[in-house]
Each structure stands twice: as structure tokens, then as C-alpha cells.
Amino acid sequence: MCGIVGYVGQRSALDVVMGGLRRLEYRGYDSGGVALVVDGTIHSAKKAGKLLNLDAELAENPLPVAHTGIGHTRWATHGAPNDVNAHPHLDETGRVAVVHNGIIENFAVLRTELERAGHDLLSETDTEVVAHLLHDELARTPDLSDAVRAVCRRLEGAFTLVICDAEQPDVVVGARRNSPLVVGRGDGENFLGSDVAAFIEHTRDAVELGQDQVVTITPDAIVVTDFFGAPAETTEYHVDWDVSAAEKGGYEWFMLKEMDEQPQAVADTLLGRHSPGGQLQLDEMRLSDDELREVDRIVIIACGTASYAGLVAKYAIEHWTRIPCEVELASEFRYRDPILDKSTLVVAISQSGETMDTLMAIRYARQQRARVLSICNTNGSTIPRESDAVIYTHAGPEVAVASTKGFLSQVVACYLLALYLAQVKGTKYGDEIDDILAEIAAVPAGIQRLLDEGDQVRKLASDLSGARSILFLGRHVGYPVALEGALKLKELAYIHAEGFAAGELKHGPIALVEEGLPVFVVVPPKGRDQLQEKTVSSIQEIRARGARTIVLAEDGDDDVIPYADHLIRLPKVPTLLQPLVATVPLQIFATEFAHQLGHDVDQPRNLAKSVTVE
Ligand code: AGP
């Protein structure tokens, strides 16, 4: 949700800023812009649409060489995605330039105040008020950092701001409340970015910023304070991946690369969690075993794909630990006055660690004295920082807007959490936990097989690319897989796609079935619970009504053959682990379907990778 870059140093600021924006474009791609400080003047360029448009603008109207600059790639909130609303926004004298991520909730009041005082605001954005407030503040307080602190004290809502000043050429100031901002420490140069991808090409040494902090970077210094100017403590860390992980590496899209990285992401998420003595260890678990033994209820909160990982977790947690578990959309959670206390463990799942709905939900949970554990893929991000414990998924950076390896590694982390709780609570013996871990460790080979067999799914996607509606059915943990398959298709192909619990079909959705409607059905492995048989019955029911059935069933399940118009074989895995394999063909299908329609696979319309507004 908007990518922000700032730079001071010896290099061409434009090159650094544009390079950073390209790596952050997944965060938003409605418009892009840059501002450079040269000889006491700010030079800026901005353009609606993807960064390619800004590149063209810069080629036509080049900016002078500069060593201080800021940049922005936007996901529009206030104001249409056009040139005028694109960031940076300048004050009327052109002294300061501001880029912003978030929503300034009191901007209407501030705008009215500024207009009454004679300011002329050009855009429809909430951001522009900051440039004008800074103009007034700099008349009283010549130091940019002081002026930024004074303005931040007046702002409400969520904001990351990065600002440069024509009169202070070697300084860039950033501020953050509720939205992400990290500092990159260089040698004779320093960087600001919405995430480390912005500067990973130049440095892997990063500084975390806390809530309500202002950072001032010059070529040789990084100074962090609170909004009142008091020095603030910061945490430095070294990023454990490099620039190659943030690049396409020969793939046409990041999404294809990230799908192919899934066997590794699953294996890496398991790595180092199981000691030779058989005890499961979660290093980032800052809750004691005694505290975990007190847990009598688990509430999982997450959004989108992460919430489907949470649905899978519910089955595993309740089955392995017997602790009641519910799953709730983070955006709904705090508005229903949930009943929480210190024996409730709230589990927040977030790939980015910055999703505002999830962040607000965990803050609410902590106010209610619940303990919060997060499952996250982004070291140093806000959600794990504000949690009592964290399990990191080691999937590496996920750039494509549609989550793939993020999801599978979240599911693995959920299994690890469930098994850890089972170990602590004594609901599973050590050798049972060992067996399950060995089964999970075997899954990457199955995922690899499905990736290798992707051509048959791509052919199917090409055959079906004229479809305007596709349904997905599953039962048990196959139900979240169905939801995920439908979400992937909606995100990438922009067609009607819906996931249903197969047993629920007869209670209404079967009315949607008509001649030729493609319906994917995830069939559970055969077991004592008769779910496989019941799912096969559902397939017969929809086929009898004209559906074109695409059946995902494990190797050796021949019961499905007579009713499958198209059969996708899944490697045999235990029922609870089936999402790790069944999701993969659905990802391949959505990717190819979107490609057939000519859509941008990595950057689908209207979306952004990390949603940092509520
Ligand atoms: C996944 O394909 C989506 N782009 C989206 O649903 C995403 O999973 C959701 O916004 C949550 O993001 P998070 O994991 O970063 O919190």
C-alpha cells in the first residue's frame, strides 16, 4: 500500500530512488513520482500509472543530477489515481516535498484550516496538507526535523512520511505511525524504505523504527527521536537475503518464481525447529511453557489468504491439541466486542507483518490482556514487533501481489504451532510429533512433483479461459483450499470464482450449477470419516446437473475416475497436510488463466501487496 524511498549520499539519487521504487512497486502501482534536491531547488516528476510511465516522463524531461531524493509508488486512497494526486506533494513555494503512505484521518479539518489561512491546495489527497503544514512550521522552526515532529503531533491516523527540503540539501526526514518505514545503513550514504527491498541492492544493514518516531538521515548519520525530540532506542539487524532473492531470476513473473520456491519455503520453515533429542523448539517463542499451558482458547486473526491458512490451522490445532480454536477476519474482529482474557491465545497470521486490519486487531487483543503470537514472513515488521511471540516463516521475500509461498509457509508454521502446543500440553507423545514432522518434511518432494506436472494444468487453464465463472469445492481442510483457489482466480483473472464447503452445496450454491460450469473439487484422502465418499457424491450431484468437473484426488483414488472430466493427481499425504499439495495446481491454474487473458500476473488491478490502511 504505497512504496516509499528516501536517499542521501554520493550516488545519483534518481537512480537509487527509481531502483528502490521498482522493487516496491508491488505495494501499489496507481502512480509514481520522485523529488530531488539540487542547488537549493526541488525538482520533481510524477505520473499516473505504473513506473514505466514515470520512466517515460523522465526520459522526455530529464531531471538534473542530485544526491538527495525521495520517491513514491501509490495505491490510491484519497483522490483518483491521476498525475495531480500522485506524490510527491509540494508546498506552494516548492520548498518541501512529501511522500506518504497511510491515511491522515483528520486531513479534512486540517485542509479547511489551511484554506482559511490562504493556502491553495491542488490535489484531492490527504497528503498535501502535510506539505502546507510544513511550509508554515518551517517559517517558525527552520530545522526540518523539528518541523516534521511538530506537524506529526497534529496528525491523526496512519502515516509514513518521507520529506526533503530545498534548503537542507543533505537531509531526508522520515516519520512513522502505524505504517512501515525502515532505515538502510550505508557507508557515506543512508536510505529509507517502506521495506528493505527498497535498498537491498546497496546495503543489508537495517534499522527498525518504532511507533511514533522521526528519523533524520544525512550521508553520515541516522538520528531517531520520538515526536517530541527525545532520543529513541532503535534495533539494528542484518537482512538474511540478498538482492537476487528480490529479483525475477529469469522468470517472466515473480509469481512463477515464488511458486517454484515453494518446496524450499516449506523446507526452510521447518528447518532448525526440531532438536536431535526429539523436542520441537520455536526460537522466537517468548511465551513460557507455563503461560502456554494456561491457554484454554485460541483465536486466529488474519486477512485474505492468511485467513485461509488460519482455517487450516483450526483443524490441526483442535485435532492435535484439543484446544478450542476459532478463526476470524481481522477486519471484523475488534468490532464485535470479542471475549478475551489472558488465557486466550490470539494468533495473528500475516506475510507482510504490516496489514493494518491485523495490526489493529492484535493491539485490541493485547488491550484485553490476551497473549498474541504472530506468524509472519517479514523480519522487523510491525506485527511481530508488537506480539508476545512470533514464528517466522522462512519463505524469503514475496513480491507478487497474489500470495503463494507465503501461504504454504504459513500453513507449515501453523502446524508447528499446533505441534508445539501439543507437546507443551501433553496431548501428543514425542514420537507422534516426530512422525508428523517427518510427514511434513516429505511434502516438498510432492510439491515439486506438482510443479513439474504443471503443464497439464496450464493446458486446462488455456482450454477454460473463456469461462466467466468457476466454482471450487472442498471439505475439511480442503474447504480453505477451495477458498484459496477461488481467491487466486479472482485476484488474477478478474472473473467470478467462489469457494464452497462441498457439504454446503445442497443448501443453496448448487443452484449456480449449469451446463458447462467448471467446478474444481478437492477430494480428501480416504479415511475413517467417510469424507472422501461424501465428496465423491457431491461430484456426482454437480455433474448430473451439467458441471464440468475438475477433480483433485490423491494417487490411487480410482473412485473419482468415472465422474472427473479432468483429473489432477495429488501426492498421497495425511488429510491434515493436504492443503500443502492441493493448493499448488490451483495457483498454476490461476496464473495461466490470467496470462491467457493478458492480465498482469504480478500486479493485478486495484490491489496492493501489503494493505496498510483499514
Ligand atoms: C493474497 O493473494 C492476497 N493478496 C491477500 O489476500 C493477502 O493474503 C492479505 O492481504 C493478507 O496479507 P498479509 O499476509 O501480508 O497480512
Side-chain angles (χ1 to χ4, degrees):
M1 202 110 306
C2 300
I4 291 186
V5 188
Y7 175 75
V8 277
Q10 317 308 323
R11 301 173 204 253
S12 154
L14 183 63
D15 291 350
V16 174
V17 168
M18 287 303 291
L21 291 182
R22 273 187 260 283
R23 291 193 204 293
L24 294 185
E25 198 177 14
Y26 70 88
R27 300 179 67 89
Y29 30 85
D30 291 337
S31 63
V34 292
L36 306 174
V37 183
V38 187
D39 297 334
T41 306
I42 288 184
H43 297 261
S44 81
K46 48 192 200 172
K47 214 66 203 156
K50 296 196 174 181
L51 286 177
L52 285 177
N53 297 357
L54 180 61
D55 283 332
E57 168 68 16
L58 290 167
E60 207 170 307
N61 299 300
L63 297 179
V65 175
H67 304 288
T68 299
I70 63 175
H72 188 267
T73 177
R74 178 172 188 238
W75 187 86
T77 56
H78 290 63
N82 56 30
D83 290 355
V84 176
N85 291 329
H87 301 210
H89 291 282
L90 276 64
D91 66 312
E92 51 254 272
T93 62
R95 176 175 169 182
V96 288
V98 178
V99 293
H100 166 224
N101 173 26
I103 294 178
I104 295 166
E105 283 167 5
N106 58 337
F107 92 98
V109 177
L110 296 169
R111 186 175 179 123
T112 306
E113 176 191 309
L114 286 162
E115 285 173 340
R116 282 199 185 127
H119 286 267
D120 193 9
L121 281 81
L122 306 175
S123 75
E124 304 159 287
T125 66
D126 51 342
T127 308
E128 197 183 355
V129 299
V130 175
H132 290 263
L133 288 171
L134 278 169
H135 168 95
D136 287 357
E137 200 55 47
L138 282 165
R140 293 186 280 271
T141 320
D143 180 69
L144 179 63
S145 309
D146 287 338
V148 170
R149 281 186 279 269
V151 169
C152 285
R153 293 197 293 270
R154 300 204 56 202
L155 304 180
E156 290 166 16
F159 50 86
T160 300
L161 298 165
V162 171
I163 299 143
C164 60
D165 176 358
E167 296 185 17
Q168 296 174 58
D170 290 335
V171 177
V172 171
V173 178
R176 82 168 283 260
R177 168 180 287 166
N178 293 334
S179 297
L181 184 66
V182 281
V183 187
R185 186 185 286 286
D187 185 8
E189 58 183 356
N190 287 306
F191 308 80
L192 296 175
S194 299
D195 67 47
V196 293
F199 48 74
I200 193 75
E201 194 179 347
H202 308 292
T203 180
R204 290 165 71 184
D205 294 322
V207 183
E208 271 181 29
L209 290 180
Q211 180 70 345
D212 285 8
Q213 292 185 345
V214 168
V215 58
T216 305
I217 59 167
T218 61
D220 301 311
I222 297 167
V223 178
V224 184
T225 70
D226 66 15
F227 283 177
F228 295 90
E233 279 195 15
T234 55
T235 313
E236 308 237 355
Y237 63 103
H238 186 71
V239 182
D240 61 5
W241 48 272
D242 63 13
V243 66
S244 62
E247 286 180 343
K248 286 189 196 160
Y251 286 83
E252 192 173 356
W253 310 300
F254 277 107
M255 191 167 166
L256 287 183
K257 175 177 176 251
E258 289 160 7
M259 280 158 49
D260 273 4
E261 287 170 344
Q262 294 185 110
Q264 195 63 47
V266 167
D268 286 351
T269 302
L270 282 176
L271 206 67
R273 315 280 199 184
H274 191 224
S275 75
Q279 282 286 304
L280 186 60
Q281 291 169 332
L282 299 177
D283 298 336
E284 309 90 346
M285 182 63 73
R286 297 186 291 264
L287 292 169
S288 69
D289 286 358
D290 282 343
E291 285 171 310
L292 289 175
R293 270 188 279 274
E294 275 176 31
V295 169
D296 61 11
R297 191 164 71 98
I298 293 175
V299 181
I300 299 177
I301 47 175
C303 303
T305 286
S307 75
Y308 303 149
L311 284 174
V312 176
K314 174 182 164 66
Y315 288 90
I317 288 171
E318 292 193 336
H319 185 66
W320 289 335
T321 73
R322 311 308 298 152
I323 305 172
C325 177
E326 57 199 87
V327 186
E328 174 124 16
L329 293 174
S331 53
E332 290 294 320
F333 177 67
R334 67 192 171 119
Y335 300 103
R336 67 168 169 91
D337 198 10
I339 301 160
L340 303 167
D341 59 35
K342 72 182 186 37
S343 53
T344 312
L345 180 67
V346 168
V347 177
I349 308 176
S350 174
Q351 188 284 132
S352 62
E354 299 292 351
T355 300
M356 185 61 77
D357 289 317
T358 311
L359 176 60
M360 290 303 167
I362 67 165
R363 285 188 182 159
Y364 179 87
R366 292 193 74 184
Q367 281 162 12
Q368 308 298 309
R369 297 172 54 240
R371 290 176 173 125
V372 174
L373 178 146
S374 57
I375 290 175
C376 183
N377 193 42
T378 312
N379 206 313
S381 57
T382 310
I383 290 170
R385 272 213 322 268
E386 296 197 15
S387 301
D388 299 302
V390 49
I391 302 176
Y392 281 108
T393 53
H394 296 297
E398 191 179 62
V399 177
V401 166
S403 184
T404 53
K405 63 176 181 173
F407 174 70
L408 290 202
S409 58
Q410 284 164 352
V411 170
V412 172
C414 289
Y415 295 145
L416 288 171
L417 172 63
L419 292 173
Y420 190 81
L421 290 169
Q423 176 178 283
V424 170
K425 289 249 179 190
T427 52
K428 283 259 170 246
Y429 293 114
D431 55 347
E432 293 174 301
I433 293 174
D434 288 351
D435 289 348
I436 297 168
L437 285 169
E439 286 164 346
I440 304 172
V443 170
I447 298 172
Q448 189 59 55
R449 187 193 108 185
L450 290 163
L451 292 167
D452 294 343
E453 293 171 357
D455 278 352
Q456 57 145 338
V457 180
R458 278 186 277 275
K459 163 87 172 57
L460 178 71
S462 159
D463 292 348
L464 294 181
S465 62
R468 300 318 324 136
S469 174
I470 297 185
L471 303 186
F472 295 78
L473 307 180
R475 291 192 82 125
H476 193 263
V477 288
Y479 171 45
V481 172
L483 294 173
E484 172 63 1
L487 180 64
K488 286 287 93 88
L489 200 59
K490 274 184 269 206
E491 281 187 291
L492 300 182
Y494 323 149
I495 67 161
H496 171 245
E498 237 177 309
F500 295 109
E504 191 61 14
L505 202 65
K506 55 193 177 292
H507 299 290
I510 200 165
L512 292 169
V513 176
E514 59 188 10
E515 196 60 37
L517 178 80
V519 184
F520 283 78
V521 188
V522 182
V523 181
K526 280 193 178 182
R528 278 172 299 176
D529 49 20
Q530 304 293 301
L531 278 180
Q532 185 266 3
E533 289 79 355
K534 288 179 181 155
T535 307
V536 174
S537 298
S538 298
I539 300 172
Q540 292 176 57
E541 286 159 18
I542 55 169
R543 199 153 183 271
R545 289 163 176 82
R548 179 170 178 174
T549 56
I550 302 130
V551 176
L552 289 85
E554 70 173 8
D555 292 332
D557 180 348
D558 293 339
D559 301 350
V560 297
I561 292 174
Y563 316 111
D565 291 309
H566 192 98
L567 180 57
I568 299 173
R569 284 298 186 190
L570 301 175
K572 268 183 181 289
V573 294
T575 304
L576 275 171
L577 307 190
Q578 202 189 38
L580 292 177
V581 289
T583 310
V584 176
L586 304 185
Q587 298 167 340
I588 298 171
F589 181 82
T591 315
E592 183 59 25
F593 198 102
H595 175 54
Q596 290 292 327
L597 297 182
H599 297 328
D600 186 332
V601 169
D602 281 341
Q603 296 177 342
R605 72 180 182 198
N606 304 340
L607 296 176
K609 180 71 179 164
S610 71
V611 184
T612 53
V613 293
E614 268 194 280

